[in-house]
Short mmCIF file of all heavy atoms in Angstrom, two decimals:
data_model
loop_
_atom_site.label_atom_id
_atom_site.label_comp_id
_atom_site.label_asym_id
_atom_site.label_seq_id
_atom_site.Cartn_x
_atom_site.Cartn_y
_atom_site.Cartn_z
N LEU B 144 1.82 -7.07 20.45
CA LEU B 144 2.67 -8.04 19.74
C LEU B 144 3.71 -7.35 18.89
O LEU B 144 4.75 -7.92 18.58
CB LEU B 144 1.79 -8.93 18.86
CG LEU B 144 0.85 -9.86 19.62
CD1 LEU B 144 -0.13 -10.52 18.67
CD2 LEU B 144 1.63 -10.90 20.38
N ARG B 145 3.44 -6.11 18.50
CA ARG B 145 4.41 -5.40 17.68
C ARG B 145 5.32 -4.59 18.59
O ARG B 145 4.86 -3.97 19.55
CB ARG B 145 3.67 -4.48 16.72
CG ARG B 145 4.58 -3.49 16.06
CD ARG B 145 3.77 -2.54 15.20
NE ARG B 145 4.54 -1.33 15.04
CZ ARG B 145 4.03 -0.13 15.12
NH1 ARG B 145 2.77 0.04 15.37
NH2 ARG B 145 4.80 0.91 14.97
N ASN B 146 6.62 -4.59 18.27
CA ASN B 146 7.62 -3.91 19.10
C ASN B 146 7.54 -4.38 20.56
O ASN B 146 7.80 -3.61 21.48
CB ASN B 146 7.46 -2.38 19.05
CG ASN B 146 7.57 -1.82 17.65
OD1 ASN B 146 6.70 -1.09 17.21
ND2 ASN B 146 8.64 -2.16 16.94
N ASP B 147 7.11 -5.62 20.77
CA ASP B 147 6.98 -6.12 22.14
C ASP B 147 8.36 -6.45 22.68
O ASP B 147 9.27 -6.80 21.92
CB ASP B 147 6.10 -7.37 22.15
CG ASP B 147 6.71 -8.46 21.30
OD1 ASP B 147 7.01 -8.16 20.12
OD2 ASP B 147 6.90 -9.57 21.78
N PRO B 148 8.52 -6.34 24.01
CA PRO B 148 9.86 -6.55 24.59
C PRO B 148 10.43 -7.94 24.31
O PRO B 148 11.65 -8.11 24.23
CB PRO B 148 9.64 -6.35 26.09
CG PRO B 148 8.32 -5.70 26.23
CD PRO B 148 7.53 -5.95 25.00
N ALA B 149 9.58 -8.95 24.16
CA ALA B 149 10.08 -10.31 23.95
C ALA B 149 10.49 -10.55 22.50
O ALA B 149 11.12 -11.55 22.18
CB ALA B 149 9.04 -11.32 24.38
N GLY B 150 10.11 -9.65 21.59
CA GLY B 150 10.51 -9.81 20.20
C GLY B 150 9.66 -10.79 19.42
O GLY B 150 10.11 -11.34 18.41
N ILE B 151 8.42 -11.03 19.88
CA ILE B 151 7.56 -11.98 19.17
C ILE B 151 7.20 -11.44 17.78
O ILE B 151 7.17 -12.18 16.80
CB ILE B 151 6.28 -12.27 19.98
CG1 ILE B 151 6.67 -12.98 21.27
CG2 ILE B 151 5.30 -13.12 19.18
CD1 ILE B 151 5.54 -13.11 22.25
N GLY B 152 6.96 -10.13 17.71
CA GLY B 152 6.60 -9.52 16.43
C GLY B 152 7.63 -9.81 15.36
O GLY B 152 7.30 -10.28 14.27
N ALA B 153 8.90 -9.54 15.68
CA ALA B 153 9.97 -9.76 14.71
C ALA B 153 10.05 -11.24 14.34
O ALA B 153 10.25 -11.60 13.18
CB ALA B 153 11.30 -9.29 15.28
N LEU B 154 9.85 -12.09 15.34
CA LEU B 154 9.92 -13.54 15.10
C LEU B 154 8.84 -13.98 14.12
O LEU B 154 9.11 -14.76 13.19
CB LEU B 154 9.77 -14.27 16.44
CG LEU B 154 10.12 -15.73 16.45
CD1 LEU B 154 11.58 -15.93 16.13
CD2 LEU B 154 9.79 -16.34 17.81
N VAL B 155 7.63 -13.48 14.33
CA VAL B 155 6.52 -13.86 13.44
C VAL B 155 6.82 -13.43 12.01
O VAL B 155 6.62 -14.20 11.07
CB VAL B 155 5.19 -13.24 13.94
CG1 VAL B 155 4.08 -13.49 12.92
CG2 VAL B 155 4.80 -13.82 15.28
N VAL B 156 7.31 -12.21 11.83
CA VAL B 156 7.63 -11.73 10.49
C VAL B 156 8.68 -12.63 9.85
O VAL B 156 8.56 -13.03 8.70
CB VAL B 156 8.13 -10.27 10.52
CG1 VAL B 156 8.49 -9.81 9.11
CG2 VAL B 156 7.08 -9.36 11.11
N GLN B 157 9.72 -12.94 10.60
CA GLN B 157 10.80 -13.77 10.07
C GLN B 157 10.29 -15.14 9.66
O GLN B 157 10.66 -15.66 8.60
CB GLN B 157 11.93 -13.94 11.10
CG GLN B 157 12.71 -12.68 11.40
CD GLN B 157 13.63 -12.27 10.27
OE1 GLN B 157 13.61 -12.87 9.20
NE2 GLN B 157 14.40 -11.23 10.49
N ILE B 158 9.45 -15.73 10.51
CA ILE B 158 8.94 -17.06 10.19
C ILE B 158 8.06 -16.99 8.95
O ILE B 158 8.15 -17.82 8.05
CB ILE B 158 8.17 -17.65 11.39
CG1 ILE B 158 9.15 -17.95 12.52
CG2 ILE B 158 7.40 -18.90 11.00
CD1 ILE B 158 8.50 -18.34 13.81
N TRP B 159 7.25 -15.95 8.88
CA TRP B 159 6.37 -15.78 7.71
C TRP B 159 7.18 -15.73 6.43
O TRP B 159 6.82 -16.33 5.42
CB TRP B 159 5.57 -14.49 7.87
CG TRP B 159 4.50 -14.31 6.83
CD1 TRP B 159 3.27 -14.88 6.83
CD2 TRP B 159 4.56 -13.49 5.66
NE1 TRP B 159 2.56 -14.47 5.73
CE2 TRP B 159 3.33 -13.62 4.99
CE3 TRP B 159 5.53 -12.67 5.10
CZ2 TRP B 159 3.04 -12.96 3.80
CZ3 TRP B 159 5.25 -12.01 3.92
CH2 TRP B 159 4.01 -12.15 3.28
N LYS B 160 8.29 -15.02 6.47
CA LYS B 160 9.08 -14.84 5.27
C LYS B 160 9.95 -16.07 4.97
O LYS B 160 10.21 -16.37 3.82
CB LYS B 160 9.96 -13.60 5.40
CG LYS B 160 10.65 -13.22 4.11
CD LYS B 160 11.12 -11.80 4.10
CE LYS B 160 12.13 -11.54 3.00
NZ LYS B 160 11.68 -11.88 1.66
N ASN B 161 10.37 -16.78 6.01
CA ASN B 161 11.36 -17.84 5.78
C ASN B 161 10.79 -19.24 5.61
O ASN B 161 11.47 -20.10 5.07
CB ASN B 161 12.40 -17.82 6.89
CG ASN B 161 13.37 -16.67 6.72
OD1 ASN B 161 13.91 -16.47 5.64
ND2 ASN B 161 13.56 -15.88 7.75
N VAL B 162 9.57 -19.48 6.09
CA VAL B 162 8.98 -20.81 5.89
C VAL B 162 8.93 -21.17 4.40
O VAL B 162 9.36 -22.26 4.02
CB VAL B 162 7.59 -20.93 6.56
CG1 VAL B 162 6.81 -22.09 6.00
CG2 VAL B 162 7.75 -21.10 8.05
N PRO B 163 8.43 -20.30 3.53
CA PRO B 163 8.38 -20.66 2.11
C PRO B 163 9.75 -20.95 1.53
O PRO B 163 9.92 -21.86 0.73
CB PRO B 163 7.78 -19.41 1.45
CG PRO B 163 7.08 -18.71 2.52
CD PRO B 163 7.82 -18.99 3.78
N PHE B 164 10.73 -20.18 1.95
CA PHE B 164 12.09 -20.37 1.48
C PHE B 164 12.59 -21.77 1.80
O PHE B 164 13.10 -22.50 0.94
CB PHE B 164 12.97 -19.29 2.13
CG PHE B 164 14.42 -19.41 1.81
CD1 PHE B 164 14.88 -19.00 0.58
CD2 PHE B 164 15.33 -19.91 2.73
CE1 PHE B 164 16.22 -19.09 0.27
CE2 PHE B 164 16.65 -20.00 2.43
CZ PHE B 164 17.11 -19.60 1.20
N GLN B 165 12.40 -22.18 3.06
CA GLN B 165 12.82 -23.53 3.46
C GLN B 165 11.96 -24.59 2.79
O GLN B 165 12.42 -25.67 2.44
CB GLN B 165 12.71 -23.68 4.97
CG GLN B 165 13.81 -22.97 5.71
CD GLN B 165 13.80 -23.32 7.17
OE1 GLN B 165 12.79 -23.74 7.72
NE2 GLN B 165 14.93 -23.14 7.83
N MET B 166 10.69 -24.23 2.62
CA MET B 166 9.73 -25.14 2.01
C MET B 166 10.20 -25.57 0.61
O MET B 166 10.13 -26.74 0.26
CB MET B 166 8.42 -24.38 1.91
CG MET B 166 7.29 -25.16 1.39
SD MET B 166 6.46 -25.94 2.74
CE MET B 166 5.44 -27.02 1.79
N ILE B 167 10.66 -24.60 -0.19
CA ILE B 167 11.10 -24.90 -1.55
C ILE B 167 12.29 -25.87 -1.49
O ILE B 167 12.34 -26.86 -2.22
CB ILE B 167 11.54 -23.61 -2.29
CG1 ILE B 167 10.44 -22.56 -2.26
CG2 ILE B 167 11.96 -23.91 -3.72
CD1 ILE B 167 9.19 -22.92 -2.97
N ILE B 168 13.21 -25.60 -0.58
CA ILE B 168 14.39 -26.46 -0.47
C ILE B 168 13.97 -27.86 -0.02
O ILE B 168 14.36 -28.86 -0.62
CB ILE B 168 15.41 -25.86 0.52
CG1 ILE B 168 15.89 -24.50 0.02
CG2 ILE B 168 16.58 -26.80 0.72
CD1 ILE B 168 16.84 -23.81 0.97
N MET B 169 13.14 -27.93 1.03
CA MET B 169 12.79 -29.24 1.60
C MET B 169 11.89 -30.03 0.66
O MET B 169 12.02 -31.23 0.53
CB MET B 169 12.09 -29.07 2.96
CG MET B 169 12.98 -28.64 4.09
SD MET B 169 14.66 -29.24 4.02
CE MET B 169 14.43 -30.99 4.19
N TYR B 170 10.96 -29.34 0.01
CA TYR B 170 10.05 -30.05 -0.89
C TYR B 170 10.83 -30.75 -2.00
O TYR B 170 10.63 -31.93 -2.26
CB TYR B 170 9.03 -29.08 -1.49
CG TYR B 170 8.09 -29.76 -2.46
CD1 TYR B 170 6.96 -30.42 -2.00
CD2 TYR B 170 8.35 -29.78 -3.83
CE1 TYR B 170 6.11 -31.07 -2.87
CE2 TYR B 170 7.51 -30.42 -4.71
CZ TYR B 170 6.39 -31.07 -4.23
OH TYR B 170 5.55 -31.72 -5.09
N SER B 171 11.75 -30.01 -2.62
CA SER B 171 12.48 -30.65 -3.72
C SER B 171 13.43 -31.71 -3.19
O SER B 171 13.69 -32.70 -3.87
CB SER B 171 13.20 -29.61 -4.58
OG SER B 171 13.80 -28.65 -3.78
N ALA B 172 13.95 -31.53 -1.97
CA ALA B 172 14.83 -32.56 -1.41
C ALA B 172 14.07 -33.85 -1.17
O ALA B 172 14.55 -34.94 -1.49
CB ALA B 172 15.44 -32.05 -0.10
N ILE B 173 12.86 -33.72 -0.60
CA ILE B 173 12.07 -34.93 -0.33
C ILE B 173 11.61 -35.57 -1.63
O ILE B 173 11.61 -36.78 -1.79
CB ILE B 173 10.87 -34.59 0.58
CG1 ILE B 173 11.37 -34.15 1.95
CG2 ILE B 173 9.95 -35.79 0.71
CD1 ILE B 173 10.29 -33.61 2.85
N GLU B 174 11.25 -34.70 -2.59
CA GLU B 174 10.79 -35.20 -3.88
C GLU B 174 11.91 -35.98 -4.58
O GLU B 174 11.66 -36.95 -5.30
CB GLU B 174 10.36 -34.02 -4.76
CG GLU B 174 9.50 -34.42 -5.92
CD GLU B 174 9.17 -33.22 -6.80
OE1 GLU B 174 9.98 -32.27 -6.83
OE2 GLU B 174 8.12 -33.24 -7.44
N ALA B 175 13.16 -35.56 -4.34
CA ALA B 175 14.28 -36.16 -5.05
C ALA B 175 14.69 -37.52 -4.47
O ALA B 175 15.53 -38.19 -5.07
CB ALA B 175 15.47 -35.21 -5.02
N VAL B 176 14.13 -37.90 -3.31
CA VAL B 176 14.46 -39.23 -2.78
C VAL B 176 13.93 -40.26 -3.76
O VAL B 176 12.76 -40.27 -4.09
CB VAL B 176 13.80 -39.44 -1.39
CG1 VAL B 176 14.07 -40.84 -0.90
CG2 VAL B 176 14.32 -38.42 -0.41
N ARG B 177 14.83 -41.10 -4.24
CA ARG B 177 14.45 -41.96 -5.36
C ARG B 177 13.39 -42.97 -4.97
O ARG B 177 13.42 -43.55 -3.89
CB ARG B 177 15.69 -42.66 -5.91
CG ARG B 177 16.46 -41.74 -6.85
CD ARG B 177 17.82 -42.27 -7.10
NE ARG B 177 17.75 -43.65 -7.56
CZ ARG B 177 18.78 -44.48 -7.51
NH1 ARG B 177 19.92 -44.06 -7.01
NH2 ARG B 177 18.66 -45.71 -7.94
N LYS B 178 12.46 -43.15 -5.88
CA LYS B 178 11.31 -44.00 -5.59
C LYS B 178 11.74 -45.45 -5.40
O LYS B 178 11.19 -46.14 -4.54
CB LYS B 178 10.30 -43.88 -6.73
CG LYS B 178 8.94 -44.42 -6.34
CD LYS B 178 7.88 -44.05 -7.33
CE LYS B 178 6.55 -44.68 -6.95
NZ LYS B 178 6.58 -46.14 -6.87
N ASP B 179 12.74 -45.88 -6.17
CA ASP B 179 13.12 -47.29 -6.06
C ASP B 179 13.70 -47.61 -4.67
O ASP B 179 13.52 -48.72 -4.17
CB ASP B 179 14.09 -47.70 -7.17
CG ASP B 179 15.25 -46.72 -7.29
OD1 ASP B 179 15.19 -45.68 -6.63
OD2 ASP B 179 16.20 -47.02 -8.03
#
Side-chain angles (χ1 to χ4, degrees):
Chain B
L144 294 170
R145 167 184 157 223
N146 301 128
D147 60 307
I151 295 170
L154 193 64
V155 172
V156 178
Q157 292 287 6
I158 291 172
W159 187 81
K160 189 160 164 56
N161 285 310
V162 161
F164 176 76
Q165 285 189 338
M166 183 90 191
I167 306 296
I168 298 177
M169 288 327 295
Y170 178 84
S171 42
I173 294 172
E174 198 183 28
V176 176
R177 279 165 53 199
K178 195 168 176 301
D179 50 351

